[in-house]
């Protein structure tokens, strides 16, 4: 038994499935999850001392790479001053201001208040509660294949984690709660119009990933998000733009910032952030106009709270990360992602294996089918079993890809020439293995 196998066996004895978040279990790719002992820059090192170029990036937070010295120093400095106070701190105010400033500077002012929470799940759950409180309506529209965390009402057809386990939705969600969520196909404005027509005056909010990245990458059609903003406004509902994954990753003001700076002016009512905003620590946020956000307690009647909300260590990591995330960082990530995504496309093309690489800024994923992939049905209709062989071969070569075809690949500013070259060198063999794979094969 290898050390990873022994660790996994021990883990399964005390933790359900041996993991604290399902996709980590390698269920769809097979094999033994690597137990990570340390990480630095673009690499993770497992308990056997083997180092891998990491394209998981903690599922998004590691924008600068792992353990950036300035981020670690900021956390250490904060830790020395105390771990948690349950009282306001100036760091929280600073971080909220940095978030608002980045939106205003790189897109346009769209939010006036920020509430810090600990996870993306809390951010979207609170945003939804707020839209219900603000509108006095109950129904919520979400898109199939979009993941907004694991709160009850948002779990239906929620993409990667569930898709990897081949589950349409979670059990344990009462039918009465599921009935408050209308699930529609992504990129289908007619379906949204029809939902508003079928439920007049009852829909509180539409929630959408700014760009879908949890069923593989699903790029919004040009103008789709702006049209959602116009439609919700016309119907007296609110638009929640979930930038937990894309926020501060695909650009300094997230996916919304990219759309606005490309000349299409629109704004959501609420934005949610997570991952990069905490720099690898548990921190997330929701933001919006004061008239909506001030309905949160203690000013308003919509309750939300958290013992560790705005935790000083997490705030220090988030502030350090956002301060370091300048134009050079985004250029480096974009360039590295382009090189790897282009190479994936080229290697498969060279052997005549049909795939489609979907890209949203520096985020990309591949699907084993012809394009386009516009919605969850498209994403699921592929030879996903081929990914197992691609994954195993790259892992053997020292490259750690996301352990599911339904996840985006994450690069970081620490992915330099050496790391990118290692990925490129691993690809030809891995691509041949994927092409030669058979359904259900090892
Ligand atoms: N929203 C989106 C778009 C996400 O990708 C995720 C997590 O992957 C979440 C919300 C939930 O965030 P967390 O895992 O921090 O609860």
């Amino acid at each position: 038994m290898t050390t990873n196998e022994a660790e996994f066996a021990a883990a399964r004895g005390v933790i359900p499935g041996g993991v604290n978040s399902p996709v980590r279990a390698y269920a769809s790719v097979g094999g033994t999850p690597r137990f990570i002992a340390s990480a630095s820059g673009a690499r993770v090192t497992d308990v056997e001392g083997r180092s891998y170029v990491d394209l998981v990036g903690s599922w998004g937070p590691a924008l600068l790479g792992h353990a950036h010295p300035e981020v670690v120093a900021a956390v250490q400095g904060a830790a020395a001053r105390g771990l948690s106070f349950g009282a306001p701190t100036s760091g929280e105010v600073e971080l909220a201001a940095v978030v608002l400033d980045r939106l205003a500077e790189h897109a346009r002012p769209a939010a006036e208040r920020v509430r810090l929470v600990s996870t993306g799940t809390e951010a979207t759950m609170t945003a939804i509660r707020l839209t219900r409180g603000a509108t006095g309506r109950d129904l919520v529209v979400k898109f199939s294949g979009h993941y907004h965390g694991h709160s009850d009402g948002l779990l239906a057809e929620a993409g990667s984690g569930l898709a990897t386990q081949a589950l349409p939705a979670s059990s344990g969600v009462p039918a009465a709660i599921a009935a408050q969520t209308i699930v529609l196909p992504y990129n289908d404005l007619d379906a949204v119009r029809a939902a508003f027509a079928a439920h007049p005056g009852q829909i509180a909010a539409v929630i959408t990933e700014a760009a879908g990245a949890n069923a593989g990458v699903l790029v919004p059609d040009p103008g789709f998000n702006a049209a959602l903003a116009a439609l919700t406004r016309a119907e007296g509902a609110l638009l929640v733009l979930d930038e937990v994954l894309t926020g501060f990753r695909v650009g300094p003001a997230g996916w919304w910032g990219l759309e606005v700076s490309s000349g299409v002016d629109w704004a959501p009512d609420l934005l949610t952030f997570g991952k990069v905003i905490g720099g690898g620590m548990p921190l997330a946020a929701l933001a919006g106009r004061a008239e909506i956000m001030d309905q949160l307690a203690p000013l308003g009647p919509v309750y939300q709270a958290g013992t560790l909300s705005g935790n000083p260590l997490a705030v220090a990591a988030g502030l350090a990360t956002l301060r370091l995330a300048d134009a050079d960082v985004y250029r480096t990530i974009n360039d590295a992602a382009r090189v790897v995504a282009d190479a994936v496309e080229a290697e498969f093309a060279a052997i005549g294996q049909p795939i489609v690489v979907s890209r949203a800024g520096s985020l990309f994923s591949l699907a084993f089918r012809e394009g386009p992939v516009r919605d969850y049905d498209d994403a699921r209709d592929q030879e996903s079993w081929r990914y197992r062989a691609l994954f195993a071969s790259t892992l053997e070569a020292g490259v750690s890809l996301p352990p599911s075809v339904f996840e985006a690949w994450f690069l970081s500013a620490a992915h330099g020439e050496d790391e990118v070259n290692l990925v490129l060198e691993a690809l030809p063999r891995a691509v041949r293995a994927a092409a030669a794979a058979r359904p259900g094969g090892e």
Side-chain angles (χ1 to χ4, degrees):
M1 217 189 235
T2 65
T3 310
N4 281 304
E5 285 165 353
E7 292 265 11
F8 195 36
R12 278 178 300 197
V14 288
I15 296 172
V19 292
N20 284 313
S21 199
V23 186
R24 297 179 194 172
Y26 281 20
S28 72
V29 290
T32 306
R34 300 307 187 255
F35 278 64
I36 302 304
S38 65
S40 174
R43 294 172 193 257
V44 292
T45 302
D46 72 6
V47 286
E48 294 171 17
R50 176 119 201 254
S51 154
Y52 300 85
V53 173
D54 180 32
L55 274 72
V56 179
S58 184
W59 303 98
L63 183 81
L64 307 171
H66 295 285
H68 188 289
E70 288 179 49
V71 178
V72 171
V75 173
Q76 285 170 334
R81 293 188 292 276
L83 301 184
S84 175
F85 313 127
T89 64
S90 42
E92 294 168 287
V93 185
E94 240 178 293
L95 182 55
V98 166
V99 168
L100 296 179
D101 287 351
R102 282 177 78 98
L103 299 182
E105 185 187 340
H106 297 284
R108 71 173 178 78
E112 296 161 322
R113 301 280 188 275
V114 179
R115 166 83 31 114
L116 301 183
V117 294
S118 299
T119 65
T121 296
E122 282 176 82
T124 56
M125 180 183 75
T126 304
I128 293 299
R129 186 178 303 139
L130 194 47
T131 65
R132 287 176 166 144
T135 61
R137 303 173 178 185
D138 286 343
L139 297 181
V140 167
V141 169
K142 82 173 281 286
F143 296 106
S144 58
H146 281 200
Y147 181 64
H148 303 292
H150 61 93
S151 68
D152 283 350
L154 292 174
L155 264 182
E157 297 204 31
S160 54
L162 292 157
T164 303
Q165 316 290 323
L167 295 171
S170 172
S171 74
V173 175
I177 290 180
Q180 304 302 312
T181 307
I182 301 167
V183 183
L184 300 179
Y186 189 41
N187 275 324
D188 187 343
L189 282 174
D190 284 342
V192 182
R193 285 188 200 102
F196 275 112
H199 305 281
Q202 295 172 64
I203 296 175
V206 173
I207 183 167
T208 186
E209 285 189 52
N214 279 292
V217 168
L218 297 174
V219 184
D221 287 346
F224 178 75
N225 286 332
L228 287 182
L231 240 159
T232 43
R233 192 174 330 110
E235 296 286 348
L238 298 171
L239 178 64
V240 180
L241 193 73
D242 184 352
E243 295 251 26
V244 165
L245 197 148
T246 47
F248 313 116
R249 169 161 279 280
V250 297
W255 180 264
W256 171 70
L258 293 185
E259 289 199 3
V260 171
S261 54
S262 74
V264 192
D265 189 23
W266 66 280
D269 297 292
L270 291 171
L271 294 128
T272 53
F273 300 106
K275 300 188 188 263
V276 171
I277 196 180
M281 297 286 288
L283 193 141
L286 60 153
R289 296 190 302 279
E291 58 170 311
I292 303 173
M293 291 292 291
D294 285 350
Q295 301 204 28
L296 284 173
L299 290 179
V302 179
Y303 195 71
Q304 181 277 330
T307 301
L308 295 176
S309 287
N311 173 265
L313 275 64
V315 165
L319 268 174
T321 300
L322 291 184
R323 290 213 175 101
L324 288 160
D326 60 11
D328 270 353
V329 160
Y330 291 110
R331 202 172 308 118
T332 307
I333 297 175
N334 285 341
D335 288 351
R338 192 175 317 111
V339 171
V340 175
D342 285 353
V344 170
E345 234 164 27
E347 292 292 346
F348 278 107
I351 59 164
Q353 173 67 45
I355 58 143
V356 52
V357 173
S358 300
R359 309 176 192 220
S362 61
L363 290 167
F364 66 92
S365 64
L366 86 163
F368 290 98
R369 52 163 292 156
E370 308 274 2
V373 176
R374 293 180 63 245
D375 62 21
Y376 196 30
D377 282 348
D378 294 342
R380 279 181 295 193
D381 181 17
Q382 63 161 301
E383 296 173 340
S384 54
W385 39 268
R386 292 191 186 279
Y387 190 74
R388 189 186 182 103
L390 184 89
F391 177 86
S393 176
T394 48
L395 195 66
E396 181 56 39
V399 175
S400 172
L401 296 184
S404 163
V405 75
F406 298 109
E407 304 286 356
W409 297 21
F410 294 97
L411 283 106
S412 78
H415 284 75
E417 217 176 301
D418 287 355
E419 290 80 14
V420 168
N421 282 341
L422 220 140
V423 178
L424 300 190
E425 282 159 23
L427 279 178
R429 187 191 170 100
V431 159
R432 281 198 303 278
R438 293 289 164 264
E442 287 300 310

